[in-house]
Amino acid sequence: MALPAGWILPEWPVPPGVLAVCSTRAGGVSHAPYGSLNLGDHVGDDPGAVSTNRSRFASALCAKPVFMKQVHGTQVLDLARGSVDGVEADGCFADQPGLVCTIMVADCLPILFAAADGRAVAAAHAGWRGLAGQGGRGIVESVWERFQFASGSPAPRTLVWLGPCIGPAAFEVGPDVKAAFEATDPESAVLFKPQADGKWLADLPGLARRRLQSLGLSRIYGNDGSRAWCTVSNPSRFFSHRRDRVSGRFAASAWLA
């Protein structure tokens, strides 16, 4: 792959047949505030620019990414040769070469999954709503259920990578968000820091790690909650809806060669 400078190649011990990448703002044609590689077609950017950006993204990957309509839900899409963009889902699974599981984000957390034997990949879009889900079942549980059933990969033989997202020092939330996680996991309270106005700073990658670990997934790489991974704190590198309100979208993808 010939990638623009600054794009992220996940560091996780996947076999040679598993490929993954995370784009940044670099490498596109969109103008401010979408400059330059905005991949979102729902944020007000010029449709022609988005089309060009998506073509450039696909050319860099040498494969076809499938862009879903993400709605902070728990639906998981099985990718196939005929899969098209715009299907409403927040997770996807692929076990055939060349089908690119792709998650668009601008503060939410992209999560990539890969079987250690190279048999399958999956991806999840984890904002707080999708991560919390209902009754403790959210997008992580939905993707893992589908991934485990279809690939046969047990938790100890599954690798997970967390991409960039809003960081623990920037993600201010109300008490309702804290309550949504504590309802099924009281110990998650340690990942919320109180603020003077009655709000809380939430550790989104930390909350995702807890959910993954509760499923037995311990081989987790990538975002450790440090500033370098924070979308809000790195305006020249990452889009951020929380920071800019009007913003583009970057993407994390995983696929089989």
Side-chain angles (χ1 to χ4, degrees):
M1 293 183 294
L3 304 179
W7 282 24
I8 301 169
L9 284 174
E11 295 182 7
W12 55 340
V14 292
V18 174
L19 301 175
V21 72
C22 181
S23 69
T24 63
R25 300 184 71 133
V29 300
S30 292
H31 298 293
Y34 308 103
S36 65
L37 191 76
N38 167 43
L39 299 172
D41 62 357
H42 60 295
V43 294
D45 194 4
D46 174 66
V50 176
S51 179
T52 298
N53 291 341
R54 288 186 172 186
S55 293
R56 290 192 177 190
F57 185 65
S59 294
L61 273 53
C62 299
K64 181 187 181 299
V66 177
F67 295 95
M68 301 175 295
K69 180 182 179 182
Q70 299 167 187
V71 295
H72 301 277
T74 59
Q75 186 67 31
V76 180
L77 173 67
D78 284 351
L79 297 187
R81 294 298 172 194
S83 293
V84 297
D85 294 343
V87 176
E88 189 172 294
D90 284 87
C92 50
F93 168 86
D95 59 3
Q96 300 178 49
L99 301 177
V100 185
C101 294
T102 299
I103 299 297
M104 291 187 293
V105 288
D107 281 326
C108 293
L109 175 68
I111 305 177
L112 304 180
F113 299 75
D117 62 4
R119 191 182 308 174
V121 293
H125 167 235
W128 79 261
R129 289 181 180 83
L131 190 60
Q134 296 290 329
R137 178 180 171 80
I139 188 59
V140 165
E141 289 78 14
S142 294
V143 170
W144 173 238
E145 181 180 274
R146 181 58 189 151
F147 183 87
Q148 187 177 37
F149 174 79
S151 71
S153 179
R157 296 283 296 161
T158 301
L159 309 172
V160 183
W161 184 80
L162 308 182
C165 72
I166 188 169
F171 192 25
E172 188 176 68
V173 300
D176 58 320
V177 177
K178 183 170 181 285
F181 286 93
E182 290 182 340
T184 55
D185 180 15
E187 293 183 5
S188 66
V190 299
L191 296 171
F192 294 85
K193 293 185 177 180
Q195 301 300 289
D197 59 359
K199 293 188 177 181
W200 302 80
L201 287 177
D203 182 347
L204 185 60
L207 290 165
R209 283 176 182 270
R210 283 190 65 86
R211 283 299 182 93
L212 291 161
Q213 289 166 349
S214 72
L215 296 170
L217 295 160
S218 60
R219 303 178 68 181
I220 306 171
Y221 303 85
N223 191 337
D224 60 2
S226 60
R227 184 181 177 88
W229 292 95
C230 178
T231 49
V232 175
S233 302
N234 294 277
S236 64
R237 194 174 196 196
F238 301 123
F239 294 112
S240 169
H241 177 73
R242 177 68 65 102
R243 182 189 63 232
D244 300 329
R245 295 303 172 187
V246 178
S247 171
R249 300 291 187 269
F250 63 96
S253 296
W255 68 104
L256 303 179

